[in-house]
């Protein structure tokens, strides 16, 4: 989510979610912390109280049951020793861990409290059985928590402490991890720091001993990014570590293979820029799918998703624009195989078929709306989505409604 420039707007809209637009009035069946839950299939466009298409409701834990005021980011972890699956959800006051392995018995295991003051913006990523947490809170730094500890929780919900605390920066908006290289890239830090709010490189190959490894400042503040070990069509960069930054009003491509000598490759903009927010490569790394967070508000678009052709990293070009089914704001989006999972704020989670993206053919094939009271362009509802569990479960973070677990209808 964009910060200072829309901070007041965010708070205004969040506080305005009352009366008919207040999802706290909508309760989910079953004990939301640890109880028997009934999977509710999507039938005739509804899964219980939630509008849907092709996605079933599995369960929900509310923000209140996390003893928090609001939710934000979401990620997941699979314990390869036990094969259990866990949702990791950011809250205003910490990070919650939920065992989602048994669909009929979701277990809220506990919370890692924030390292700074409570804040609406927190981000989490996982590498090598550890979660790494940053927040837009002064002096928060990066918390590191060993997820293997979740196997041994006796009394729930527990209060956890961090296994390591990296303080090479204070506030940060986001953290990106390239699991191939074992490097974290922290972005959205203070604009007057040594990397001007760009990327801080951190070696996390030994997770409990993170080490500063340089940074990238050439193009200024990065709101979000993706970093990959490149295997796409541009042979000039095959095997290189490539950084794609969503830098507020431009997309930036850089080679960060040499941590002490990162190099700018190219940048690309597009028409009707409001706030270049977040993007993700297709699996063949030919196309980059981007969301602009404020264009629905500033220009009145239906949910707009932009596609760029990155076949030639030195010469990226705009390829296609897809407009969604509602006026809701698009937020984080992730690719899994030939599908794009979009966190669409008040319109919930939308799934787009991108199998024919080369021919500029994108279509919506499913959705689950966790915020049924409205699809207006406002900062409420779904913040993010994690679709990568082997079981097919999809975990969703809703600012107002908490953690949702959904799955594709059979």
């Amino acid at each position: 989510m964009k910060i200072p420039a829309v901070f007041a707007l965010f708070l205004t809209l969040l506080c305005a979610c009352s009366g008919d637009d207040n999802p706290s009035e909508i309760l989910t069946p079953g004990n939301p912390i640890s109880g028997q839950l009934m999977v509710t299939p999507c039938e005739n466009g509804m899964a219980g109280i939630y509008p849907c298409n092709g996605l079933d409701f599995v369960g929900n834990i509310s923000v209140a049951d996390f003893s928090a005021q609001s939710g934000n980011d979401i990620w997941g972890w699979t314990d390869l020793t036990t094969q259990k699956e866990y949702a990791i959800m950011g809250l205003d006051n910490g990070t919650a861990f939920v065992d989602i392995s048994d669909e009929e018995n979701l277990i809220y295991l506990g919370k890692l409290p924030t390292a700074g003051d409570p804040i609406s913006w927190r981000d989490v990523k996982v590498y090598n059985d550890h979660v790494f947490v940053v927040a837009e809170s002064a002096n928060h730094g990066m918390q590191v928590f060993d997820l293997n500890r979740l196997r041994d929780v006796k009394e729930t919900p527990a209060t956890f402490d961090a296994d390591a605390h990296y303080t090479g920066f204070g506030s940060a908006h986001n953290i990106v991890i390239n699991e191939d290289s074992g490097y974290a890239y922290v972005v959205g830090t203070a604009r007057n720091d040594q990397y001007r709010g760009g990327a801080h490189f951190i070696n996390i190959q030994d997770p409990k001993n993170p080490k500063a490894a340089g940074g990238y400042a050439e193009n200024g503040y990065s709101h979000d990014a993706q970093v990959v070990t490149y295997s796409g069509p541009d042979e000039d960069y095959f095997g290189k570590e490539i950084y794609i930054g969503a830098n507020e009003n431009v997309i930036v491509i850089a080679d960060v293979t040499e941590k002490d000598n990162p190099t700018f490759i190219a940048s690309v903009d597009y028409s009707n820029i409001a706030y270049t927010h977040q993007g993700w490569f297709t699996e063949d790394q030919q196309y980059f799918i981007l969301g602009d967070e404020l264009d629905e508000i500033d220009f009145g678009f239906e949910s707009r998703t932009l596609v760029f052709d990155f076949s030639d990293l030195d010469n990226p070009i705009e390829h296609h624009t897809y407009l969604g089914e509602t006026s809701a704001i698009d937020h984080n989006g992730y690719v899994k195989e030939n599908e794009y999972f979009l966190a669409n704020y008040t319109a919930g989670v939308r799934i787009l078929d991108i199998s024919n993206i080369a021919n500029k053919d994108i279509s919506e094939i499913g959705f689950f709306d966790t915020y049924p009271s409205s699809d207006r362009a406002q900062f409420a509802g779904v913040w993010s989505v994690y679709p990568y569990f082997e079981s097919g479960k999809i975990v969703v973070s809703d600012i107002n409604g908490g953690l949702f677990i959904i799955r594709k209808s059979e």
Side-chain angles (χ1 to χ4, degrees):
M1 177 181 293
K2 188 178 178 182
I3 49 164
V6 296
F7 181 77
L9 177 61
F10 173 87
L11 292 180
T12 299
L13 292 173
L14 188 61
C15 293
C17 295
S18 59
D20 291 341
D21 282 343
N22 188 352
S24 66
E25 299 295 324
I26 302 169
L27 302 179
T28 308
N31 183 326
I33 300 181
S34 177
Q36 298 301 306
L37 302 178
M38 294 295 292
V39 173
T40 305
C42 179
E43 296 178 339
N44 300 315
M46 298 292 290
I49 59 171
Y50 301 108
C52 60
N53 176 25
L55 291 164
D56 298 335
F57 171 86
V58 175
N60 165 244
I61 298 178
S62 72
V63 169
D65 285 313
F66 286 131
S67 299
Q69 297 298 312
S70 64
N72 42 70
D73 198 32
I74 192 84
W75 209 248
W77 176 62
T78 300
D79 185 341
L80 296 181
T81 299
T82 65
Q83 298 305 309
K84 285 190 172 185
E85 295 176 335
Y86 299 87
I88 305 167
M89 181 168 170
L91 306 163
D92 64 302
N93 60 3
T95 306
F97 304 94
V98 180
D99 183 344
I100 64 166
S101 305
D102 183 350
E103 291 183 349
E104 296 184 352
N105 187 34
L106 307 178
I107 304 173
Y108 171 32
L109 295 171
K111 181 191 296 184
L112 174 66
T114 182
D117 292 334
I119 193 75
S120 297
W121 298 278
R122 187 174 308 279
D123 200 75
V124 300
K125 294 294 184 298
V126 170
Y127 169 74
N128 194 15
D129 297 340
H130 290 71
V131 65
F132 299 81
V133 184
V134 301
E136 288 236 8
S137 182
N139 303 316
H140 184 282
M142 181 179 74
Q143 295 171 298
V144 183
F145 177 76
D146 187 343
L147 294 165
N148 293 296
R149 293 168 58 186
L150 298 180
R151 296 185 199 133
D152 302 319
V153 176
K154 302 296 188 239
E155 296 184 10
T156 62
T159 299
F160 300 109
D161 56 354
D163 291 283
H165 187 202
Y166 177 86
T167 58
F169 59 89
S171 169
H173 184 74
N174 222 311
I175 180 170
V176 180
I177 294 177
N178 181 3
E179 295 184 39
D180 293 331
S181 67
Y183 278 85
Y185 299 83
V186 173
V187 298
T189 57
R191 295 171 189 264
N192 61 353
D193 70 13
Q194 66 184 120
Y195 301 117
R196 305 207 303 268
H200 288 241
F201 306 159
I202 305 173
N203 184 332
I204 58 169
Q205 293 165 359
D206 180 359
K208 292 185 180 68
N209 293 288
K211 298 178 181 178
Y216 183 72
E218 183 171 341
N219 300 98
Y221 182 92
S222 279
H223 185 78
D224 206 336
Q226 185 184 16
V227 182
V228 300
T229 300
Y230 186 74
S231 60
D234 190 338
E235 295 180 358
D236 292 342
Y237 295 98
F238 194 86
K240 299 290 188 179
E241 198 165 6
I242 301 300
Y243 175 97
I244 314 295
N247 283 32
E248 300 190 292
N249 60 5
V250 67
I251 305 168
V252 172
I253 307 173
D255 183 344
V256 295
T257 309
E258 298 180 22
K259 299 298 179 287
D260 58 353
N261 186 35
T263 57
F264 172 79
I265 297 174
S267 64
V268 59
D269 58 15
Y270 50 92
S271 61
N272 299 118
I273 294 174
Y275 196 83
T276 307
H277 178 263
Q278 184 263 359
W280 209 254
F281 263 123
T282 54
E283 292 205 344
D284 61 5
Q285 296 181 357
Q286 180 168 350
Y287 299 99
F288 190 76
I289 305 174
L290 179 83
D292 182 307
E293 189 175 23
L294 294 183
D295 51 359
E296 290 82 14
I297 292 176
D298 288 2
F299 302 108
F301 292 125
E302 300 296 276
S303 300
R304 183 173 68 147
T305 299
L306 299 117
V307 180
F308 297 86
D309 187 338
F310 277 15
S311 298
D312 179 356
L313 293 181
D314 295 291
N315 185 35
I317 57 175
E318 189 172 348
H319 176 70
H320 180 49
T321 297
Y322 168 80
L323 297 178
E325 302 291 327
T326 75
S327 61
I329 302 166
D330 54 294
H331 201 223
N332 295 342
Y334 297 99
V335 171
K336 182 181 180 182
E337 298 174 349
N338 285 319
E339 295 175 341
Y340 182 66
F341 292 77
L342 175 63
N344 206 178
Y345 276 125
T346 56
V349 175
R350 322 298 287 203
I351 303 180
L352 307 183
D353 180 352
I354 58 171
S355 59
N356 200 24
I357 196 171
N359 293 318
K360 304 181 180 181
D361 180 11
I362 296 175
S363 60
E364 183 177 284
I365 56 174
F367 71 86
F368 191 95
D369 190 351
T370 63
Y371 193 90
S373 58
S374 170
D375 286 339
R376 292 204 304 260
Q378 63 187 63
F379 297 114
V382 173
W383 181 290
S384 199
V385 55
Y386 178 86
Y388 299 114
F389 285 118
E390 194 70 29
S391 68
K393 295 187 190 78
I394 301 164
V395 290
V396 180
S397 57
D398 185 291
I399 298 168
N400 316 82
L403 170 68
F404 284 80
I405 300 93
I406 59 178
R407 69 179 185 194
K408 288 185 178 180
S409 304
E410 296 181 356

